[in-house]
């Protein structure tokens, strides 16, 4: 038994020592496996299993060559499957990375485009900053501004009226309402317990029962007030129309002036490239400096001599001011206080002066408003006059046309002969129609007029003579016709009288 054990032991050692790559179904040339780290791990595991050190520690189980071959084939197949999965995952990740690269490229392009657009906008902004500010020297819509002020005044008056209950141009009360106001207290004394509706019913019945003579004073009063109110309203309406008319005329003028000024300004701006500056009132007093600014102004001269720049000067002055005591700051505070008092006094005078200027300006505007109203009314009168003239001429023309139609209605009345041009055009038209059959009417008329213009004086004289003969004959016929008409009218009038 001991010999058998020794023999088994030796056999097992011999099998482990003489184990070749062909016995475990792995070719000798494929020691550097293409399976990467997974293959390496399997080989390391196999080497550990196959090493003599491990064989001492862990006693191997007796296995047949077929079983070991199958297990290694299964492991190899499993490793190949894992490798395929890893390759698929690698392809997917590469695709994702490619997509991400494309997205990043697009974003980079967008950022680059945004940067270019921003640079372009900055260049345009610099150009605009260099341009001058256009300030027209003319007063733009003067009439419009005056009209707006008038409207504001009217609104203020209305608001004042609503508060106080007083109205300048009152709408007249009807006769019945004014009669009710007079009779209300009397009706209330007679019926003290009656409410508003009952008293109004009583007054309504009384008004119906009252005679025309009793109603007449109230009706006359209403008519007078109504006429006065309508005149005021008519005047206001007329003034508004006149102001609108004047506004339209002045707006046209101002638009032309504004265009001229802008063109001139643009030419000057193209020549000069200066930055726009805000205009300041030269009469306005300057704001006083604070105590710190007075100190820094004093220190600046000394620091400039030491070749310090502006930032260094302000920094040094700030630190020195912080480290100063109250006694050292006191003289600067007193000077600053005095300057502020002077500034406040000057500002009060400046504001007062501005108020006075505004008041005088308002007076001038009021006078100008009156003048403009007068001009507007004159313009409206001219417009009305021209409209009346146009209306009258239209009516006269219509009357003449009507009389002409009435005269032409008589078949016995002689017809007016054609002029020399019409006589010539008849002959020329016939000739042109024969020469150019199917010619349009417009071109035919144009050719006739050209031929008439090209005629000589002798040829034109012949046509004038023909026209004169026709006019003389027409005059004789018209005289005879008028005599006949006069005779007929004389014979008809006595018959009517009888």
């Amino acid at each position: 038994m001991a010999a058998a054990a020794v023999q088994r032991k030796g056999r097992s050692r011999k099998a482990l020592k003489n184990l070749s790559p062909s016995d475990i179904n792995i070719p000798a040339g494929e020691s550097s496996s293409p399976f990467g780290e997974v293959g390496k791990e399997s080989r390391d595991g196999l080497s550990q299993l196959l090493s003599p050190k491990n064989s001492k520690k862990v006693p191997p189980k007796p296995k047949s060559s077929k079983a070991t071959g199958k297990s290694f084939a299964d492991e190899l197949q499993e490793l190949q499957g894992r490798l395929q999965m890893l390759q698929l995952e690698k392809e997917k990740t590469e695709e994702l990375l490619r997509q991400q690269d494309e997205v990043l490229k697009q974003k980079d392009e967008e950022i680059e485009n945004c940067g270019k657009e921003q640079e372009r906008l900055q260049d345009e902004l610099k150009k605009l900053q260099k341009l001058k500010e256009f300030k027209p020297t003319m007063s733009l819509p003067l009439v419009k501004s005056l009209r707006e002020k008038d409207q504001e005044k009217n609104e203020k008056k209305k608001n004042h009226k609503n508060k106080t209950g007083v109205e300048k141009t009152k709408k007249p009360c009807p006769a019945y309402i004014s009669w009710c106001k007079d009779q209300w207290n009397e009706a209330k004394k007679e019926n003290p317990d009656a409410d508003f509706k009952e008293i109004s019913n009583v007054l309504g019945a009384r008004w119906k029962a009252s005679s025309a003579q009793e109603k007449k004073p109230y009706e006359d009063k209403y008519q007078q007030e109504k006429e006065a109110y309508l005149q005021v309203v008519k005047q206001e309406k007329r003034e508004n129309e006149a102001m609108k008319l004047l506004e339209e005329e002045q707006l046209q003028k101002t638009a032309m002036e504004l265009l001229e000024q802008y063109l001139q300004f643009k030419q000057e701006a193209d020549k000069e490239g200066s930055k726009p500056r805000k205009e300041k009132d030269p009469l306005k007093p300057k704001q006083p400096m604070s105590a710190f600014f007075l100190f820094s102004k004093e220190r600046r001269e000394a620091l400039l001599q030491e070749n310090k720049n502006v930032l260094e000067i302000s920094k040094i002055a700030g630190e020195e001011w912080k480290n100063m005591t109250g006694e050292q700051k006191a003289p600067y505070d007193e000077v600053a206080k005095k300057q502020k008092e002077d500034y406040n006094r000057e500002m009060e005078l400046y504001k007062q002066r501005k108020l006075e200027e505004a008041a005088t300006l308002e007076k001038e505007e009021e006078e100008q408003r009156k003048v403009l109203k007068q001009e507007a009314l004159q313009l409206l009168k001219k417009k009305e006059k021209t409209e009346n003239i146009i209306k009258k001429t239209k009516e006269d023309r219509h009357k003449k046309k009507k009389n002409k139609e009435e005269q032409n209605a008589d078949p016995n009345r002689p017809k007016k002969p054609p002029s020399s041009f019409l006589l010539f055009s008849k002959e020329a038209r016939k000739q042109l129609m024969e020469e150019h059959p199917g010619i349009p009417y417009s071109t035919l008329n144009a050719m006739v007029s050209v031929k008439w213009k090209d005629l000589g004086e002798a040829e034109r004289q012949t046509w004038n003579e023909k026209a004169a003969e026709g006019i003389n004959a027409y005059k004789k016929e018209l005289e005879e016709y008028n005599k006949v008409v006069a005779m007929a009218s004389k014979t008809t009038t006595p018959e009517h009288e009888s």
Side-chain angles (χ1 to χ4, degrees):
M1 242 171 114
V6 169
Q7 195 177 357
R8 200 182 291 122
K9 192 177 178 184
R11 203 182 291 135
S12 63
R13 280 180 185 171
K14 192 177 179 182
L16 286 168
K17 280 179 183 178
N18 297 327
L19 198 64
S20 64
S22 60
D23 293 330
I24 57 171
N25 201 13
I26 296 171
E30 290 181 7
S31 61
S32 61
S33 174
F35 305 127
E37 291 178 3
V38 179
K40 193 177 179 182
E41 285 173 9
S42 62
R43 284 201 303 276
D44 293 333
L46 285 168
S47 62
Q48 284 175 7
L49 287 166
L50 297 172
S51 63
K53 288 178 184 177
N54 290 332
S55 65
K56 286 178 184 179
K57 288 177 183 177
V58 182
K61 291 179 181 179
K63 285 185 181 179
S64 64
S65 61
K66 285 182 180 180
T68 53
K70 281 181 183 177
S71 64
F72 280 114
D74 292 338
E75 283 180 7
L76 185 64
Q77 196 172 358
E78 190 180 344
L79 290 169
Q80 284 176 349
R82 283 182 185 176
L83 183 65
Q84 285 176 358
M85 283 173 72
L86 287 166
Q87 282 177 348
L88 288 168
E89 284 178 3
K90 187 184 176 185
E91 286 173 3
K92 283 180 184 177
T93 50
E94 283 175 355
E95 186 66 30
L96 286 168
L97 286 167
R98 204 178 295 115
Q99 287 177 0
Q100 282 180 355
D101 288 337
E102 286 176 3
V103 170
L104 287 167
K105 279 179 185 177
Q106 285 178 358
K107 283 183 178 177
D108 289 336
E109 285 174 3
E110 285 176 5
I111 290 160
E112 197 173 342
N113 291 330
C114 285
K116 285 178 182 176
E117 186 68 22
Q118 198 171 2
E119 284 175 5
R120 190 180 65 77
L121 289 169
Q122 281 177 354
D123 292 336
E124 285 181 3
L125 184 67
K126 283 175 183 177
K127 284 178 184 177
L128 288 168
Q129 283 173 351
K130 283 178 183 178
L131 286 172
K132 273 185 176 180
E133 191 180 353
F134 175 58
K135 287 184 180 178
T137 54
M138 50 182 283
S139 55
L140 286 170
L142 182 64
V143 184
K144 197 174 181 182
S145 63
L146 292 172
R147 274 186 67 216
E148 284 172 359
K149 283 182 180 178
D150 283 339
Q151 285 175 0
E152 283 176 9
K153 279 186 178 180
N154 290 332
E155 283 175 6
K156 281 179 183 178
K157 281 177 185 177
K158 281 179 185 177
N159 294 332
H160 185 65
K161 177 209 80 174
N162 291 333
K163 287 175 186 176
T164 56
V166 181
E167 193 177 358
K168 266 193 173 182
T169 54
K170 252 191 177 183
K171 200 172 181 180
C173 289
Y176 172 68
I177 299 293
S178 54
W179 179 82
C180 283
K181 282 179 182 177
D182 292 342
Q183 299 291 323
W184 188 268
N185 292 327
E186 193 178 335
K188 189 74 178 170
K189 281 177 185 177
E190 289 174 4
N191 304 299
D193 298 329
D195 59 355
F196 181 82
K197 194 176 179 181
E198 289 171 354
I199 290 167
S200 59
N201 288 333
V202 169
L203 289 171
R206 279 188 194 176
W207 176 257
K208 283 179 183 178
S210 57
S211 61
Q213 288 180 352
E214 289 175 349
K215 290 178 182 178
K216 195 181 177 183
Y218 295 101
E219 286 173 352
D220 291 341
K221 188 184 176 185
Y222 172 67
Q223 287 296 327
Q224 287 173 4
E225 286 177 356
K226 191 180 178 182
E227 284 172 7
Y229 174 74
L230 287 170
Q231 280 179 358
V232 170
V233 169
K234 193 179 178 182
Q235 184 67 24
E236 285 177 2
K237 196 176 179 182
R238 189 178 168 78
E239 282 178 1
N240 286 330
E241 283 177 6
M243 289 300 284
K244 276 180 187 176
L245 191 69
L246 186 67
E247 184 186 335
E248 285 172 7
E249 194 178 348
Q250 284 200 354
L251 277 171
Q252 287 177 356
K253 286 179 185 176
T254 49
M256 291 303 293
E257 287 176 17
L258 189 64
L259 183 65
E260 286 174 7
Q261 284 188 15
Y262 178 71
L263 291 168
Q264 193 178 353
F265 159 77
K266 203 172 181 185
Q267 286 176 357
E268 290 174 0
D270 290 337
K271 288 176 184 176
E272 300 172 7
S274 58
K275 288 183 180 179
R277 285 186 179 181
K278 289 183 179 179
E279 289 183 3
K280 291 182 180 179
D281 190 359
L283 299 171
K284 191 176 180 180
K286 290 180 181 179
Q287 282 195 349
M289 286 194 287
S290 64
F292 168 69
F293 276 105
L294 289 165
F295 167 74
S296 61
K297 190 180 177 183
E298 193 180 297
R299 286 285 296 138
R300 190 178 287 114
E301 292 175 4
L303 292 167
L304 281 168
Q305 288 175 1
E306 294 175 10
N307 296 323
K308 302 283 184 184
N309 59 19
V310 178
L311 290 169
E312 287 174 348
I313 288 164
S314 58
K315 196 175 180 181
I316 291 161
E319 287 174 359
E320 285 179 359
W321 180 258
K322 279 180 184 177
N323 296 326
M324 281 172 74
T325 58
E327 290 177 359
Q328 289 172 337
K329 289 180 183 179
Y332 299 105
D333 288 330
E334 285 175 7
V335 173
K337 192 178 178 182
K338 193 180 178 183
Q339 283 183 0
K340 197 170 184 180
E341 286 171 0
D342 294 339
Y343 169 75
N344 289 330
R345 191 164 51 254
E346 286 172 6
M347 272 301 289
E348 282 175 7
L349 293 167
Y350 173 77
K351 283 176 183 176
Q352 196 175 353
R353 193 164 54 249
K354 279 282 176 186
L355 288 167
E356 286 171 4
E357 284 174 6
T360 51
L361 190 70
E362 198 174 346
K363 280 181 185 178
E364 285 173 7
E365 282 179 357
E366 190 68 34
E367 288 171 5
Q368 203 168 7
R369 200 181 292 117
K370 286 176 184 177
V371 172
L372 285 168
K373 272 186 182 177
Q374 196 64 31
E375 283 178 15
L377 288 166
Q378 285 174 3
L379 194 69
L380 188 67
K381 281 176 186 176
K382 281 180 185 176
K383 192 187 175 186
E384 286 172 354
K385 199 176 179 180
T386 50
E387 282 175 357
N388 290 329
I389 290 162
I390 291 160
K391 196 177 179 182
K392 200 174 181 182
T393 50
K394 279 182 181 178
E395 285 172 359
D396 293 340
R397 206 176 287 166
H398 186 68
K399 281 178 184 177
K400 281 179 184 177
K401 198 177 180 183
K402 205 173 182 182
N403 292 331
K404 206 173 185 181
E405 284 172 0
E406 286 173 1
Q407 286 172 2
N408 292 333
D410 190 359
N412 298 320
R413 187 183 174 84
K415 288 182 179 179
K416 200 173 181 181
S419 63
S420 55
F421 172 72
L422 287 170
L423 290 166
F424 167 77
S425 64
K426 279 180 186 178
E427 293 292 329
R429 193 174 275 108
K430 284 177 187 177
Q431 191 182 347
L432 289 164
M433 288 285 280
E434 287 171 4
E435 289 174 4
H436 308 283
I439 191 169
Y441 188 73
S442 57
T443 52
L444 185 70
N445 284 336
M447 288 170 81
V448 167
S449 61
V450 168
K451 277 196 169 190
W452 173 256
K453 283 177 183 176
D454 292 340
L455 282 175
E457 288 183 6
E459 290 175 344
R460 196 172 283 191
Q461 188 63 33
T462 55
W463 292 107
N464 288 334
E465 285 171 2
K466 284 180 184 180
E469 285 172 7
I471 286 164
N472 291 327
Y474 168 71
K475 281 179 180 177
K476 285 175 184 178
E477 287 174 4
L478 192 66
E479 281 175 6
E480 288 174 5
Y481 171 76
N482 288 332
K483 283 175 186 178
V484 170
V485 170
M487 288 291 289
S489 63
K490 280 178 183 178
T491 53
T492 51
T493 48
E495 286 176 5
H496 284 298
E497 284 173 3
S498 61

